[in-house]
Amino acid sequence: MIHRRRILKWGTMGFGSMIITPKIFSTPKKIIMGKKPLVISTWDAGINANKGAWKILREKGRALDAVEAGVMITEAEKDNCCVGLSAYPDRDGHVTLDASIMDEYGNAGSVAFIERIKHPISVARRVMEKTPHVMLAGSGAQQFAVEQGFPLEEDKLSDSAQKAYDEWLKKSEYKPVKNIENTKGQNAFAPNKLSNGSFNHDTIGMIAIDAQGNLSGSCTTSGLAFKMRGRVGDSPIPGAGLYVDNEVGAAVSTGVGEEVIKICGTHTVIEAMRHGMNPEEACKFAVERVIKRNSAEKIKDIQVAFIAIDKNGNYGGYAIQKGFNYAVCYADDYNELIDSKYSL
Ligand code: ASP
């Protein structure tokens, strides 16, 4: 076995020909040392998204290209409650999207409250690369996207979103519930039951380190379902939903964006790593800050989670509530591809 695994060398065969070994870890206690390249992303949707990123990373491509390509897969899903144009709308019945991206130079681009654009992450990248700005919002972001050649999609809810919205309108209650896969009610984190019986989840946040040791990150979401019109979450805000510092690491968040914004969540994670914490400890540090700011009564209904990679390719995550998971993809010491999921 050892001989066989040793034969599977990165240089000789390329990652594409390697065996994929799915592994499910029940706790995140173990910090995996020094993986490069490596990509991790939030929730179950991250498993598919990582595959898109991995195609680029295995060819020693740039982490920035990987994190864009990876989350584009999720944005294009036809039945995702929480990312892209199939997602659940705001309380006025419109899907509005937030996205951000950061590269290894600390450049950032984002779009907020953008409508009718299939790939907000790519518009965010164009903002970063083609404008002197960091963030464009609303109709201005849409106008920029169209000028850049992005098609304006039909203003129509997906069947699943329409159904959920019709249901929500009956009571019009706005109440975030901590883990969408554990709840069947129609609420701000309303679940979208897939044909295989599982529930799709919220925001996809992806961070990666490439073979050259450079870090990048992306984050894309429809935000909270049935939110107030005009509401913007943490995902498009550098330092809140996503932060990358190539000297230290990368971090991304998911959960109730308002709580993440108030503690500058991912920036807090990066600064904690800068001062010596490992990725899991740093994520825990930020989560504890959210907990400290809220009453015990309020916190029991709030989910906030962070995942992080440091500059050496160590990774970890932490969440307020059980039920959060993230997907991990790297090549092990024998250059065998490991495709895993961590449940917290
Ligand atoms: N953080 C996102 C927001 O508040 C929601 C999520 O992670 O699902 O917009």
Side-chain angles (χ1 to χ4, degrees), residues 43 98 189 202-203 221 223-224 231 233-235 253-258:
W43 302 114
D98 298 338
F189 284 127
D202 4 334
T203 298
T221 187
L224 303 183
R231 182 262 186 191
D234 57 322
S235 307
S253 71
T254 179
V256 180
E258 285 73 5

Side-chain angles (χ1 to χ4, degrees), residues 87-263:
Y88 290 1
D90 64 14
R91 55 174 62 182
D92 291 11
H94 304 284
V95 177
T96 75
L97 304 173
D98 298 338
S100 65
I101 195 159
M102 283 189 77
D103 71 9
E104 68 272 34
Y105 303 108
N107 295 313
S110 79
V111 288
F113 189 46
I114 192 170
E115 295 176 78
R116 298 176 60 191
I117 296 294
K118 187 173 176 186
H119 289 299
I121 196 64
S122 302
V123 186
R125 183 168 176 176
R126 297 282 176 94
V127 173
M128 176 173 84
E129 291 179 340
K130 308 250 183 231
T131 81
H133 307 303
V134 167
M135 184 186 291
L136 294 178
S139 57
Q142 189 191 69
Q143 183 185 326
F144 171 72
V146 171
E147 281 164 15
Q148 288 290 313
F150 291 85
L152 204 51
E153 307 291 336
E154 208 183 347
D155 189 10
K156 186 177 181 300
L157 295 183
S158 65
D159 291 348
S160 53
Q162 186 67 56
K163 214 169 135 210
Y165 183 54
D166 291 344
E167 192 60 38
W168 179 79
L169 280 174
K170 289 181 190 161
K171 288 192 183 161
S172 302
E173 267 175 10
Y174 184 77
K175 185 171 185 285
V177 170
K178 52 195 173 194
N179 282 310
I180 151 176
E181 71 270 64
N182 293 336
T183 172
K184 293 197 171 137
Q186 298 299 335
N187 48 57
F189 284 127
N192 183 25
K193 197 160 191 194
L194 301 175
S195 49
N196 66 5
S198 68
F199 289 110
N200 231 338
H201 220 292
D202 4 334
T203 298
I204 179 138
M206 175 178 281
I207 47 182
I209 187 164
D210 60 30
Q212 292 69 243
N214 287 320
L215 290 148
S216 288
S218 62
C219 189
T220 177
T221 187
S222 59
L224 303 183
F226 318 126
K227 62 195 175 185
M228 285 178 72
R229 181 143 181 84
R231 182 262 186 191
V232 170
D234 57 322
S235 307
I237 302 177
L242 173 70
Y243 202 65
V244 177
D245 181 329
N246 212 37
E247 287 181 4
V248 178
V252 71
S253 71
T254 179
V256 180
E258 285 73 5
E259 298 303 324
V260 178
I261 294 170
K262 285 187 278 188
I263 65 147

